[in-house]
Amino acid sequence: MAEGKPIISLRNVTKDFETRSGTIRALDNISIDIVQGETYGIIGLSGAGKSTLVRCINLLETPTEGRVVFNGESLTGLSRKELNLRRREIAMIFQQFNLLMQRTALQNVCFPLEIAGVKKEEAARRGKELLKRVGLEDRVDSYPAQLSGGQKQRVGIARALASNPKVLLCDEATSALDPKTTRSILELLKDINKEFGITIVIITHEMSVIQYACDRVAIIEAGEIAEEGSVDEIFTRPKTKAAKRLVFPDQEKTDGIVGENLIRLVFDGGASYEPVIANMVIKSGAPVNIMYASIQNVEGVNKGQMILELSNIKKQSEIQLEYLNEQKIAYEEIGEVK
Amino acid sequence: MTELFLQGLWDTIFMTLAATAVAYLVGLPIGVALVVTDDNSIHPMPLIHSIIGFVVNVVRSVPFLILLIAMIPLTRIVVGTAIGTNATIFVLIVSAAPFIARMVESSIKEIDSGVIEAAQSMGASNKTIIWKVMLSEAKPSLVVGMALSTITILGYSAMAGVIGGGGLGDIAIKYGLYHYKAGIMWLAVAILVIVVQILQEIGMRIAKKIDNRG
Ligand SMILES: Nc1ncnc2c1ncn2[C@@H]1O[C@H](COP(=O)(O)OP(=O)(O)OP(=O)(O)O)[C@@H](O)[C@H]1O
Ligand SMILES: [Mg+2]
């Protein structure tokens, strides 16, 4: 269970969409608590309801049922005006950045300040400061069309920070970016979390993003929370089917591999660069057999999975698994381990 | 002769610009209303949206020439006379405002809905979204639309020659049609073509200049 004061609580939130072909239940009775100061991940496959969930937090989407509580106050009953005031404390960044194309980087960052009625000179000063913080001090007068995806997202982050929010919602904020840029943006988000104490909510379909940036995670499937817990816990010991599917993707390719002492390892880019297999062998003094491997090195990050046959001597296989636990490498036993 | 053409040119330009200006004062808010009252927009009002849309479509579907004649009694009440430049301006406004409303609507609809959503997530009021997101972001497209509207209104103003509306169209019809002076008619047409070219060029240049997207 999470400790500390919740900054956002969803209570029995249900969201139905009325469409011509009937009612779609996008969220089904969701209750979660997001604790002040943490980075909270929400992961799920496409169509699981992630965007709907995050849009319910700042009421861009009105829940059909249930309550959204922010900082001890229910948002669901507020008037439009009051809601707009609260929204200044809940900033958001987007997959497609959503910058104003006719405004410069600085003018974009100043936009929330204009909304808040901050004086022009004061806003410009703060805007420049924020752009400097995200590493764009030399692009202050550039238009979005002149910036790369990563730079646009940095402007998006600076803009989000302008109103001094308590929470930053990120809806697939790195999904349009390459792995290296994704890293640098996640790095920036982590720094912001530490530096300003802003609670960060990260929506993604990529486990590596969660593992890299989040303290806790909720797995959402078909509009319901399938599993929730610390990232380490879920990553190394996924309990539900939904969690396993995310931690161990493309299972069907390896369905034919059966036997005893088999484990499946997943490299999602979160693990260290240590030569994992060699160290398992050295530490245990026993060999392992690679039954299947599909690993790609994308810009210095290892991604993919492997099936290993461990030593059939219990003591040795225990040392081998112990090592994986230490390295926080996700694995599941797919053959009985003796 | 030169005087005749200068007067005609002046009348045409005056009618066009005056009618365009007033038609925008009417059409722009209607266009914005069409956008914001739509489903999934910032202030959905299905009934109001349908009513405005219907009225706009009805007026738009009446050919200008018929409107010109059908409106004679109303024009007489409002302007005091049914012929001449002022009468023409009045009919031009009525006929162009719905056209402009649709142009404005489609310009604003080109904006990515994500940008509007971002503004909402910042706590922007609808007024702020209309001024600082919709109209600001659509500015280049609105300018192109304005050039197009001006040219359309210019064309209509020439048609008003049949009711003695004044301007180059009036000259072309009077001399070409009623007095068989083809030379004068073609000269009037040539001047109209040049004016259209100039308007088009000015519109495109301004739009390009203020667009920061590329
Ligand atoms: N405005 C809407 N009208 C009707 N159905 C909707 C609407 N928005 C979302 N849905 C439906 O709700 C479900 C959840 O959608 P949502 O966008 O939240 O998924 P997601 O997890 O964000 O997916 P992705 O990873 O593809 O972005 C889907 O079945 C979707 O079709
Ligand atoms: Mg989504």
Side-chain angles (χ1 to χ4, degrees):
Chain A
M1 207 50 262
E3 281 158 40
K5 175 173 162 271
I7 182 98
I8 293 167
S9 302
L10 303 189
R11 287 287 167 270
N12 311 100
V13 167
T14 294
K15 176 71 189 179
D16 291 333
F17 287 110
E18 304 299 335
T19 65
R20 264 185 222 127
S21 48
T23 306
I24 294 172
R25 179 148 293 191
L27 298 177
D28 193 1
N29 198 23
I30 286 192
S31 297
I32 52 172
D33 284 303
I34 297 169
V35 175
Q36 181 141 34
E38 74 173 334
T39 48
Y40 188 89
I42 296 170
I43 186 168
L45 300 173
S46 186
K50 306 182 291 293
S51 294
T52 310
L53 179 59
V54 78
R55 291 159 53 83
C56 277
I57 294 177
N58 59 4
L59 262 72
L60 282 178
E61 214 74 80
T62 316
T64 313
E65 275 169 57
R67 281 203 316 148
V68 179
V69 181
F70 168 68
N71 210 12
E73 174 188 39
S74 175
L75 294 185
T76 12
L78 291 184
S79 73
R80 185 86 220 185
K81 241 191 176 142
E82 289 168 317
L83 177 62
N84 277 343
L85 286 176
R86 294 298 164 272
R87 277 178 174 168
R88 292 177 195 170
E89 301 180 57
I90 312 173
M92 193 168 188
I93 59 173
F94 307 83
Q95 178 170 3
Q96 296 308 331
F97 323 119
N98 294 349
L99 301 176
L100 294 155
M101 300 303 284
Q102 304 297 352
R103 283 177 170 235
T104 62
L106 181 61
Q107 289 167 338
N108 264 286
V109 176
C110 290
F111 188 44
L113 298 169
E114 272 170 46
I115 294 171
V118 176
K119 278 215 194 74
K120 243 195 172 133
E121 304 83 55
E122 166 67 14
R125 197 188 52 71
R126 180 154 170 72
K128 280 183 193 151
E129 199 178 285
L130 285 163
L131 281 170
K132 188 162 178 216
R133 177 62 196 83
V134 299
L136 289 177
E137 59 266 49
D138 53 341
R139 304 309 297 268
V140 168
D141 295 321
S142 299
Y143 288 96
Q146 302 163 329
L147 299 173
S148 72
Q151 290 171 329
K152 280 184 214 163
Q153 197 57 289
R154 283 170 189 274
V155 176
I157 291 169
R159 180 174 73 173
L161 295 176
S163 55
N164 270 322
K166 293 195 169 66
V167 177
L168 176 58
L169 307 175
C170 315
D171 189 1
E172 303 267 12
T174 58
S175 299
L177 306 173
D178 63 58
K180 210 166 148 192
T181 314
T182 295
R183 278 268 163 143
S184 72
I185 294 291
L186 292 177
E187 202 62 58
L188 178 61
L189 290 177
K190 276 162 77 166
D191 289 347
I192 283 163
N193 169 252
K194 284 204 205 85
E195 213 174 300
F196 304 98
I198 296 175
T199 310
I200 297 189
V201 181
I202 294 182
I203 304 290
T204 181
H205 60 275
E206 289 175 296
M207 203 62 198
S208 60
V209 169
I210 298 284
Q211 217 209 355
Y212 190 71
C214 298
D215 304 322
R216 289 197 306 137
V217 62
I219 292 170
I220 179 168
E221 191 179 53
E224 293 181 71
I225 301 293
E227 202 169 332
E228 194 201 20
S230 84
V231 171
D232 288 348
E233 195 178 292
I234 291 202
F235 199 71
T236 46
R237 293 268 173 282
K239 290 188 207 73
T240 57
K241 256 207 182 113
K244 282 185 184 162
R245 244 202 306 279
L246 285 162
V247 179
F248 307 110
D250 42 66
Q251 213 137 18
E252 60 285 355
K253 273 191 209 154
T254 56
D255 274 351
I257 303 169
V258 286
E260 288 181 339
N261 290 325
L262 293 185
I263 61 162
R264 182 197 308 274
L265 299 186
V266 169
F267 296 89
D268 71 333
S272 63
Y273 300 110
E274 287 203 38
V276 174
I277 310 297
N279 281 340
M280 282 172 80
V281 173
I282 292 165
K283 293 226 156 133
S284 65
V288 296
N289 193 8
I290 300 175
M291 308 291 286
Y292 170 89
S294 157
I295 310 269
Q296 276 176 314
N297 189 291
V298 184
E299 306 206 24
V301 175
N302 286 323
K303 287 194 167 194
Q305 58 173 318
M306 222 182 239
I307 293 184
L308 295 182
E309 185 181 29
L310 301 179
S311 166
N312 52 15
I313 296 163
K314 190 171 171 65
K315 226 183 182 166
Q316 290 172 339
S317 66
E318 267 172 11
I319 296 173
Q320 289 168 340
L321 292 178
E322 179 73 16
Y323 173 74
L324 293 177
N325 286 337
E326 265 169 32
Q327 295 299 315
K328 295 201 172 126
I329 295 168
Y331 66 88
E332 81 176 325
E333 293 161 7
I334 55 177
E336 200 185 321
V337 177
K338 283 184 184 158
Chain B
M1 197 83 253
T2 326
E3 211 163 283
L4 176 78
F5 272 99
L6 278 179
Q7 182 64 39
L9 181 63
W10 165 248
D11 283 348
T12 293
I13 290 174
F14 174 72
M15 279 192 292
T16 304
L17 295 186
T20 306
V22 181
Y24 258 91
L25 286 180
V26 181
L28 188 93
I30 297 177
V32 171
L34 278 169
V35 174
V36 300
T37 56
D38 202 359
D39 285 354
N40 298 319
S41 189
I42 57 173
H43 198 89
M45 292 162 80
L47 185 67
I48 303 283
H49 183 81
S50 321
I51 293 172
I52 300 176
F54 178 74
V55 172
V56 162
N57 285 348
V58 167
V59 180
R60 277 198 66 191
S61 52
V62 181
F64 179 72
L65 211 52
I66 295 176
L67 202 65
L68 203 58
I69 292 157
M71 275 182 56
I72 286 175
L74 184 66
T75 310
R76 227 176 240 137
I77 294 168
V78 176
V79 189
T81 167
I83 53 166
T85 46
N86 287 348
T88 309
I89 290 171
F90 177 66
V91 186
L92 283 173
I93 292 164
V94 172
S95 138
F99 170 75
I100 287 166
R102 287 292 183 206
M103 294 271 256
V104 168
E105 183 192 20
S106 85
S107 288
I108 295 177
K109 278 192 165 168
E110 282 169 26
I111 302 167
D112 186 351
S113 62
V115 179
I116 291 161
E117 196 170 292
Q120 284 181 310
S121 80
M122 292 171 209
S125 65
N126 286 347
K127 192 177 134 207
T128 304
I129 291 176
I130 290 170
W131 283 107
K132 298 204 162 174
V133 181
M134 292 181 166
L135 293 175
S136 298
E137 287 289 292
K139 221 184 269 163
S141 171
L142 287 171
V143 168
V144 172
M146 195 181 261
L148 210 70
S149 306
T150 313
I151 290 167
T152 307
I153 291 172
L154 180 88
Y156 285 174
S157 82
M159 250 189 263
V162 292
I163 59 154
L168 291 170
D170 202 359
I171 294 173
I173 289 171
K174 234 182 236 151
Y175 288 85
L177 203 61
Y178 304 146
H179 299 284
Y180 306 107
K181 289 189 178 152
I184 291 180
M185 183 186 79
W186 286 117
L187 190 56
V189 170
I191 295 173
L192 282 172
V193 168
I194 292 167
V195 173
V196 167
Q197 289 295 332
I198 291 171
L199 285 173
Q200 176 81 24
E201 194 59 26
I202 292 174
M204 291 303 161
R205 285 210 186 160
I206 295 176
K208 202 162 172 214
K209 184 132 198 268
I210 61 170
D211 195 352
N212 299 311
R213 278 176 300 182

